[in-house]
Structures are given as C-alpha cells and as structure tokens.
C-alpha cells in the first residue's frame, strides 16, 4: 500500500506552523503495518513533533535498518531525505552522512532486533562517539517479521506465544546508552502521546547523541499471557497452516498520568503493563543516579518512562574532531587538499 499516495489537497482552514506547513505536510505514505501497531503511534508523534518545531522537512535526514520499525520512515516526513540501510548498519551510515553534512537534522529509527542484536556494536559506537542525532528504538521485544521469536530485549522469564520461557537476560538499551555516554536518554510508551511528543521535540533540539527507547506493542505476536511488552490482536487460530491471518481493528491504548505516579495499563489480551513516570524531584543530570534508579525500579517490575538523563553542555562528533563549520560535502578539491607545507608539518607531528 505504500504506492498509494495520500491526497495532496488540504482543507483551507487547517492550522499551519510558522513555515506555512500543515501537519499533513509532515506525513508520508500509507502505513502497511498491522492495525493498532504501536509503531504507527510513534510515527504520529514524530510528525507532530516536527510540525510543532517548525522544522523544514528538506533539512531532515531519516535513516533506518531492517525490521518493522525500519519500515516506518516511509510513513512520516515524506519530503525529507531518507536512507534505508541493511540490517544493523544504520548507525554507521548515519555517522558518515553526519560527517559529510553537519547542517542536516539526523533521525535514526531502529528496532530492538536491529539495534540490540546484529547492530549492537554499531549502536554502541555511534552513541559513544557523540554523533549529533536522535536515535529512536521502537522496542516490542520480538522479531515481528520472522514470526515473533524472542529479541535481545525480551525480558528474562517472559513467554513466547508458544509458551517457551526466555532464559536469557534482556539487554536494556537505556542503561547501555547511559554507560556509552549518550547525552540525552529517555524512555517512553507509544500509547502516551502527551509524554512522547515533548520528548521527541527535546531530543531533536539536543546537540549530541540523543536516544529514546520507546515501548511499542506488537499487535501480532505478543498476545499471550506472559508477555511483558505488548498486547495482541491476532485472531484465535493464527497457527493454522496456509490460512490468512486477520488482524481486526482495535482502538489504540492510551494513557495520561501524573509525574511520579505508577499506572497499570491493561492490554487487549488481559495482561497488565506497569508504567512508572519519573517524579518531579528526579535529577536528570545525574548519570550514575539514573542507572541506580532504573535498576531499583526494574527490581520492582516497573518500566520507568520520561527524560532519564541530559547533559546540556554536551559536545558532538564534529567538536571532538575539530572539523570546519561548513559541511564537508560543500568543500572543493583545493580546500580539501592540504598544501605541501601543511602536509609536512602533519607528518612531522606524527613521528
């Protein structure tokens, strides 16, 4: 359905931002994801955030890898730059693009399989290098494209739809991002638009490596008792051989609760997701405190959401490398080629 373009006509009374764009101007193609997928809610939040920030779509570069999550950039910011890479390699491509043109706003969208398995090293190095970007992981805890196997972020003790218990410890990408030196770290829930949109806006405005882990329910493969991350829309006999699966439309689960509170979100399959929103007294400038808080809440079975850490004085990759202020892709051959004197001094400094 991605070949079906959305109507270009706008209602004459649609609200516009300071650039004269409506929210519709930040949309993309028609989504082919399952009805009710949490990823579509994240796409809607990205659209809303960019619209409210008055960002010119052509100044944004969106990059992704492989997986359900990595399909989503086709569904938002249809007038921006886009690059769909191979499995797990999005961070290195984004890093190269950022080095070539520092003037663009970089948005990397990935999944728990793409970032926590084959792309784990790429994820860690892009974070530690301080690439100026927003890196969003749409985390559903399963491999949705290959029928719902455990992903690296699946919690220990959780059950697959076949009743298999996961005995491996799950990778917490938030804790890893904190340890790797990310200067903006947050976690949210796709059903909490009131929290997610402001987090995306803040992360896009942040200079440095910004990371958001967003719990995003998979409506297809986490519909069973024992799932810790999602709700299920799969019909009763989804294991029937050669029978088409039908995912009925259901209303999106949304929550809105006060800072410092914990809310139990009942999912469509009857399972309960415990969400805890950071209290107002929480100090997001304390990296060590953030790690300790996450571990303490994790022991209580809670998922902490909100802005977990921020360094307002962060440096990015270009500052660390002391590159020129103009984009490298705009320099000509004479500007990129050092003179013999400069080259001699450089070689002498390395002896």
């Amino acid at each position: 359905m991605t070949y079906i373009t959305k109507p270009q006509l706008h209602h004459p009374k649609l609200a516009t931002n300071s650039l004269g764009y409506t929210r519709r101007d930040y949309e993309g193609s028609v989504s082919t994801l399952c009805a009710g997928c949490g990823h579509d809610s994240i796409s809607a939040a990205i659209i809303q955030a960019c619209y409210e920030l008055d960002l010119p779509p052509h100044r944004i570069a969106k990059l992704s890898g492989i997986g359900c999550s990595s399909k989503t950039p086709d569904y938002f910011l249809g007038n921006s730059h886009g690059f769909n890479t191979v499995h797990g390699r999005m961070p290195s491509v984004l890093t190269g693009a950022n080095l070539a043109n520092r003037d663009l706003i970089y948005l990397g969208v990935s999944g728990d399989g793409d970032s926590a398995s084959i792309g784990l090293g790429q994820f860690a190095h892009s974070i530690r290098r301080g690439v100026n970007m927003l890196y969003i992981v749409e985390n559903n805890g399963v491999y949705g494209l290959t029928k719902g196997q455990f992903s690296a972020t699946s919690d220990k003790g959780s059950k697959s739809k076949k009743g298999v218990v996961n005995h491996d410890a799950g990778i917490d990408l938030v804790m890893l991002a904190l340890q790797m030196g990310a200067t903006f770290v947050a976690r949210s829930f796709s059903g909490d638009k009131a929290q997610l949109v402001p987090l995306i806006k803040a992360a896009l405005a942040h200079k440095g490596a910004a990371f958001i882990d967003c719990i995003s329910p998979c409506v297809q493969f986490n519909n069973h008792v024992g799932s810790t991350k999602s709700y299920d829309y799969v019909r009763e006999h989804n294991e029937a051989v050669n029978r088409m699966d039908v995912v009925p439309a259901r209303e999106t689960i949304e929550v809105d609760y006060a800072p410092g509170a914990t809310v139990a979100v009942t999912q469509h399959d009857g399972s309960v997701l415990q969400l805890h929103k950071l209290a107002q007294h929480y100090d997001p400038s304390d990296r060590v405190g953030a790690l300790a808080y996450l571990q303490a809440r994790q022991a209580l079975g809670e998922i902490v959401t909100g802005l977990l850490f921020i360094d307002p004085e962060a440096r990015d990759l270009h500052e660390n490398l002391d590159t020129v202020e103009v984009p490298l892709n705009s320099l000509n051959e004479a500007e990129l080629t050092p003179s013999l004197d400069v080259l001699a001094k450089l070689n002498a400094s390395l002896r």
Side-chain angles (χ1 to χ4, degrees):
M1 291 176 61
T2 52
Y3 62 87
I4 301 177
T5 58
K6 293 183 178 180
Q8 298 299 312
L9 291 176
H10 292 167
H11 191 282
K13 293 186 179 180
L14 281 181
T16 60
N17 59 17
S18 65
L19 300 177
Y21 294 134
T22 69
R23 187 184 181 280
R24 291 286 306 279
D25 293 317
Y26 291 86
E27 295 179 356
S29 302
V30 176
S31 173
T32 62
L33 297 175
C34 302
C37 178
H39 293 359
D40 282 333
S41 296
I42 298 175
S43 294
I46 292 172
I47 291 169
Q48 188 66 31
C50 293
Y51 166 74
E52 293 181 3
L53 284 174
D54 303 323
L55 297 180
H58 67 281
R59 301 307 301 162
I60 302 173
K62 54 184 182 179
L63 296 92
S64 62
I66 296 296
C68 291
S69 58
S70 293
K71 293 171 60 179
T72 62
D74 195 33
Y75 312 144
F76 60 81
L77 299 175
N79 294 314
S80 67
H81 304 281
F83 197 115
N84 184 232
T85 72
V86 295
H87 205 182
R89 301 303 187 264
M90 179 271 287
S92 59
V93 177
L94 188 153
T95 300
N98 181 278
L99 283 171
N101 188 354
R102 64 189 299 172
D103 282 353
L104 295 180
I105 299 168
Y106 289 91
L107 172 60
V109 178
S110 184
D112 43 300
D114 197 49
S115 286
S117 290
I118 190 171
L120 184 61
Q122 300 253 330
F123 165 77
H125 288 299
S126 66
I127 293 295
R128 78 178 185 86
R129 289 183 176 125
V131 180
N132 189 14
M133 63 178 176
L134 167 54
Y135 194 124
I136 297 178
V137 167
E138 299 177 347
N139 189 353
N140 57 22
V142 296
Y143 287 103
L145 288 183
T146 53
K147 310 308 178 187
Q149 301 93 332
F150 293 125
S151 80
T153 64
S154 298
D155 295 318
K156 186 175 183 178
S158 61
K159 294 182 180 179
S160 71
K161 69 176 184 178
K162 294 183 179 180
V164 178
V165 177
N166 179 30
H167 297 292
D168 298 328
I171 294 176
D172 191 320
L173 289 173
V174 162
M175 292 190 187
L176 183 58
L178 284 167
Q179 292 172 333
M180 289 294 101
T183 50
F184 182 107
V185 181
R187 174 180 280 141
S188 192
F189 175 56
S190 63
D192 190 355
K193 182 180 179 181
Q195 181 192 69
L196 182 56
V197 172
L199 282 176
I200 293 175
K201 291 170 65 177
L204 285 170
H206 178 75
K207 182 180 181 180
F211 173 69
I212 298 178
D213 177 39
C214 193
I215 305 299
S216 180
C218 174
V219 297
Q220 190 66 271
F221 295 107
N222 270 351
N223 63 333
H224 49 276
V225 175
S227 169
T228 60
K229 281 189 170 64
S230 49
Y231 46 83
D232 187 12
Y233 289 139
V234 181
R235 63 182 178 84
E236 184 178 357
H237 302 293
N238 59 4
E239 292 296 327
V241 177
N242 295 328
R243 178 176 294 185
M244 297 296 293
D245 284 335
V246 178
V247 182
R250 301 280 182 89
E251 292 187 5
T252 303
I253 297 176
E254 296 184 352
V255 294
D256 186 9
Y257 57 108
T262 301
V263 63
V265 181
T266 302
Q267 303 175 78
H268 289 289
D269 63 345
S271 61
V272 178
L273 189 67
Q274 295 284 343
L275 296 177
H276 178 83
K277 190 172 292 188
L278 293 175
Q280 293 180 348
H281 58 75
Y282 178 85
D283 181 7
S285 64
D286 183 357
R287 189 185 297 271
V288 176
L291 284 165
Y293 190 88
L294 284 167
Q295 290 176 325
R297 290 295 178 175
Q298 188 179 69
L300 298 175
E302 296 178 349
I303 299 173
V304 181
T305 66
L307 178 59
L308 304 171
F309 175 79
I310 185 171
D311 178 2
E313 305 298 329
R315 294 167 58 91
D316 74 336
L317 180 61
H318 284 277
E319 284 188 83
N320 295 335
L321 295 178
D322 194 24
T323 63
V324 295
E325 294 186 2
V326 298
L328 298 182
N329 65 355
S330 66
L331 301 178
N332 58 40
E333 184 177 357
E335 292 170 322
L336 291 171
T337 304
S339 66
L340 292 178
D341 290 340
V342 171
L343 190 58
K345 292 179 180 179
L346 177 63
N347 289 333
S349 69
L350 299 175
R351 290 192 177 94

